[in-house]
């Protein structure tokens, strides 16, 4: 970055609050009391993010008499569920290309289930009057390099041949009529497959819906240890225990209470900026009247969208893996990444020069080697888990909740018989091999972005093995 551009980027960040814009909201609910003493229930849900909240809610919808308890180690929605980009996608497979490559025989069923899942989320938002700024505006995958444009065009043609006709290819002029950036060369618009929403308000709304159905929620109650009990399972917490017939684990990036699951995920730190609200003139200078979500097609990609009050969220690019998978609040702030993101923002939208950022934040998400969630049971079917959502948890966690409840019930249905549900990704190797492999992959991806998309021997080998690293 040139010195003048670096100064401009730094100035735009000078007043940014080091906290998620979504969580910095006066409507943030007060935390509920921690569990003290012993508690008993039919179903214990561990984790108060989307995964746990959907599981608790659907469990009560399926059986209103079921006694459900949810415990959360901090506050509901405080982690990835309260600081993501708010892209709620229908895809269960981290996009159609990834799903087609891994499960070609099931891809039409997976796409159908994903569409039904997004419809169910929209219906639940309406049914429980969750004010989460839900807008089903779709998403545009944007090409900013010639090789990306050609890849998008070829993929769109291939998808239509396979019967997937829900997207529209936009050439340069058509795309810039939607959102105007001199870097945009074209794109693919999925008009119905993605909704934009306020992620923290979705979590808070799900919390209230759960309480309304009789779920007992304890915050600041971390699950420390899990063991068999005479009636099922027992989970120890800092000030008590929960005895449950069944347990659903929605802890995602945090260490699973089923230790053998841990090698399947690694933490990736993702970072985002939020601008101050755009003026009417600033908004007019870029268009964006249809308010779609956008993401560019580079390996090191950006995602960006408008908030309800016309701020621009700009995130992605750097995906940071800490050696040893260390989780630390100190890693939530990374000034060098924020500076890089700010410079890239003004490269994309030079007409917004002078705009400032109000918030800058980051945090860990869980990723797995196949980029999409995996599922399983433990303790002879008494415990179920879902993890590895790799950035698509806003929508896919609801599907994961259904799967966990199906598995706990021992059901054979259209979800549990999927190869995607029955199989596992390749686990990550122990350190230092995990860190070395991830760093080599990241550098190779960056080199491919600057070399016309050409993938080196390492990436080609990873492709053949079906392995990767992504956020």
């Amino acid at each position: 970055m040139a010195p003048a551009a670096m100064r401009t980027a730094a100035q735009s960040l000078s007043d940014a609050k080091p906290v998620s814009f979504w969580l910095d909201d006066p409507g943030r609910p007060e935390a509920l009391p921690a569990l003290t003493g012993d508690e008993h229930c039919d179903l214990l849900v561990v984790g108060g993010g989307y995964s746990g909240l959907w599981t608790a809610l659907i469990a009560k919808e399926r059986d209103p008499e079921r006694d459900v308890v949810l415990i959360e180690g901090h506050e509901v929605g405080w982690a990835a569920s309260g600081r993501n980009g708010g892209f709620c996608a229908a895809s269960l497979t981290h996009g159609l290309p990834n799903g087609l490559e891994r499960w070609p025989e099931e891809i039409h069923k997976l796409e159908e289930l994903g569409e039904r899942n997004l419809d169910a989320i929209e219906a639940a938002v309406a049914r429980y009057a969750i004010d989460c700024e839900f807008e089903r505006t779709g998403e545009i995958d944007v090409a900013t390099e010639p090789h990306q444009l050609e890849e998008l065009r070829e993929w769109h043609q291939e998808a239509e041949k396979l019967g997937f006709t829900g997207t529209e290819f936009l050439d340069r002029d058509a795309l810039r009529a939607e959102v105007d950036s001199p870097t945009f060369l074209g794109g693919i618009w999925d008009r119905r497959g993605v909704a934009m929403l306020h992620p923290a308000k979705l979590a808070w709304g799900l919390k209230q819906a759960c309480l309304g159905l009789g779920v007992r929620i304890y915050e600041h109650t971390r699950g420390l240890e899990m063991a068999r009990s005479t009636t099922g399972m027992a989970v120890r917490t800092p000030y008590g225990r929960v005895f449950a017939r069944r347990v659903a684990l929605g802890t995602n990036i945090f260490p699973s209470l089923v230790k053998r699951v841990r090698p399947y995920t690694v933490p990736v730190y993702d970072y985002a900026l939020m601008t101050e609200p755009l003026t009417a003139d600033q908004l007019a200078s870029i268009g964006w009247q249809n308010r779609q979500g956008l993401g560019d097609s580079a390996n090191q990609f950006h995602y960006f969208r408008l908030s309800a009050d016309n701020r621009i969220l700009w995130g992605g690019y750097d995906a940071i893996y800490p050696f040893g998978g260390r989780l630390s609040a100190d890693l939530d702030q990374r000034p060098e990444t924020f500076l890089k993101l700010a410079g890239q923002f003004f490269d994309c939208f030079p007409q917004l020069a002078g705009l400032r950022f109000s918030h800058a934040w980051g945090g860990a998400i869980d990723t797995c080697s196949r980029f999409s969630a995996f599922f399983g049971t433990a303790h002879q079917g008494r415990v179920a888990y879902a993890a590895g959502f790799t950035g698509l948890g806003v929508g896919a966690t609801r599907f994961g909740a259904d799967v966990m409840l199906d598995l706990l019930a021992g059901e054979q249905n259209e979800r549990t018989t999927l190869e995607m549900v029955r199989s596992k990704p390749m686990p990550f190797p122990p350190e230092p091999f995990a860190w070395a492999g991830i760093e080599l992959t990241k550098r190779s991806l960056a080199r491919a972005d600057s070399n016309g998309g050409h993938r080196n021997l390492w990436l080609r080998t990873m492709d053949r093995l079906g392995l990767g690293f992504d956020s």
Side-chain angles (χ1 to χ4, degrees):
M1 193 185 306
M6 184 172 292
R7 285 194 298 273
T8 298
Q11 289 168 358
S12 71
L13 291 163
S14 61
D15 296 323
K17 291 184 179 181
V19 63
S20 165
F21 167 78
W22 311 115
L23 295 172
D24 186 26
D25 190 293
R28 183 173 183 169
E30 292 290 328
L32 295 169
L35 171 67
T36 58
D38 289 350
E39 177 68 280
H40 297 78
C41 59
D42 298 321
L43 173 67
L44 170 64
V45 179
V46 181
Y50 297 140
S51 188
L53 291 165
W54 281 118
T55 303
L57 184 68
I58 296 171
K60 292 294 285 186
E61 288 178 335
R62 290 188 181 188
D63 180 3
E65 300 303 314
R66 180 158 27 189
D67 192 18
V68 179
V69 167
L70 183 150
I71 61 172
E72 161 56 41
H74 189 52
E75 294 181 21
V76 162
W78 75 278
S81 297
R83 49 172 162 72
N84 62 80
F87 287 64
C88 187
S91 177
L92 305 174
T93 61
H94 209 96
L96 179 58
N98 187 54
L100 185 60
E101 179 181 345
R102 297 181 186 281
W103 302 289
E105 301 301 320
E106 294 183 345
I107 191 61
H108 285 86
K109 172 56 69 174
L110 288 166
E111 289 291 296
E112 177 195 342
L113 289 169
E115 292 169 6
R116 283 159 46 187
N117 184 65
L118 181 55
D119 289 343
I121 292 172
E122 185 171 16
V125 166
R127 182 165 63 253
Y128 295 106
I130 299 175
D131 181 19
C132 63
E133 300 162 12
F134 189 98
E135 298 179 279
R136 198 154 176 177
T137 55
E139 180 181 8
I140 303 176
D141 291 328
V142 175
T144 57
E145 297 288 344
H147 73 272
Q148 296 171 11
L149 181 62
E150 188 58 31
E151 288 169 359
L152 287 180
R153 192 191 309 273
E154 291 176 358
W155 168 248
H156 184 253
Q157 293 171 350
E158 180 65 19
E160 289 199 322
K161 289 179 183 177
L162 293 170
F164 301 106
T165 58
T167 61
E168 176 184 353
F169 182 81
L170 305 176
D171 63 17
R172 176 183 178 277
D173 291 342
L175 176 54
R176 293 188 62 174
E178 292 294 332
V179 186
D180 190 14
S181 165
T183 68
F184 291 175
L185 303 180
I188 296 176
W189 184 1
D190 180 353
R191 288 180 175 268
R192 291 285 298 166
V194 183
M196 298 292 106
L197 53 77
H198 188 303
K201 287 184 178 179
L202 174 60
W204 300 335
L206 290 173
K207 172 184 175 180
Q208 191 58 46
C210 286
L211 292 171
L213 293 183
V215 177
R216 300 193 299 287
I217 297 176
Y218 298 96
E219 295 178 270
H220 296 290
T221 302
R222 183 182 169 196
L224 300 175
E225 187 178 36
M226 181 171 64
R228 292 282 297 274
S229 73
T230 55
T231 57
M233 303 300 300
V235 173
R236 183 171 61 86
T237 70
Y239 305 122
R241 295 173 299 177
V242 183
F243 295 91
R245 294 179 57 249
R246 297 288 185 268
V247 177
L249 300 178
T251 49
N252 293 292
I253 192 50
F254 299 100
S256 176
L257 292 176
V258 178
K259 292 183 180 179
R260 60 182 164 83
V261 176
R262 296 179 185 179
Y264 289 102
T265 63
V266 294
V268 178
Y269 277 78
D270 181 55
Y271 298 91
L273 306 175
M274 183 70 93
T275 72
E276 62 191 356
L278 274 63
T279 66
D281 288 344
Q282 287 171 326
L283 189 58
S285 73
I286 60 172
W288 216 342
Q289 294 182 4
N290 289 315
R291 303 179 58 79
Q292 310 94 328
L294 288 96
D296 62 51
S297 301
N299 292 307
Q300 291 183 291
F301 62 92
H302 302 93
Y303 54 88
F304 39 119
R305 48 80 54 98
L306 287 170
S307 67
D309 59 349
N310 290 330
R311 301 168 186 263
I312 298 177
L313 179 143
W314 177 264
Y317 194 78
D318 274 347
I320 305 301
Y321 169 69
F323 184 86
R326 179 173 62 97
L327 293 172
S328 171
D330 293 340
L331 299 174
D332 291 353
Q333 291 292 307
R334 197 168 192 267
E336 59 267 43
T337 292
F338 297 145
L339 191 64
K340 188 185 301 181
L341 285 172
Q344 293 164 341
F345 175 87
F346 292 114
D347 288 342
C348 182
F349 293 121
Q351 60 269 56
L352 297 179
L355 191 66
R356 301 175 71 84
F357 295 99
S358 63
H359 296 75
W361 71 93
I365 63 173
D366 64 332
T367 190
C368 70
S369 60
R370 74 183 192 188
F371 306 148
S372 54
F374 62 92
F375 315 89
T377 61
H379 294 281
Q380 297 180 312
R382 294 175 175 84
V383 177
Y385 56 82
F389 290 95
T390 316
L392 284 192
V394 182
T397 46
R398 187 196 173 281
F399 175 80
D402 264 330
V403 170
M404 284 195 285
L405 292 170
D406 291 344
L407 293 174
L408 289 173
E411 294 183 12
Q412 294 285 310
N413 59 30
E414 61 181 349
R415 289 181 291 264
T416 59
T417 55
L418 290 168
E419 176 63 22
M420 177 191 178
V421 171
R422 293 185 292 110
S423 65
K424 295 285 194 301
M426 183 77 73
F428 289 92
E431 297 293 11
F433 304 106
W435 185 87
I438 289 170
E439 285 300 304
L440 180 56
T441 302
K442 287 170 55 182
R443 293 175 187 178
S444 298
L445 291 171
R447 192 174 299 119
D449 283 337
S450 61
N451 192 27
H454 176 72
R455 298 173 77 81
N456 63 17
L457 179 60
W458 174 259
L459 291 180
R460 294 197 303 273
T461 301
M462 298 285 281
D463 291 341
R464 285 195 296 272
L465 295 173
L467 304 177
F469 175 79
D470 201 357
S471 65

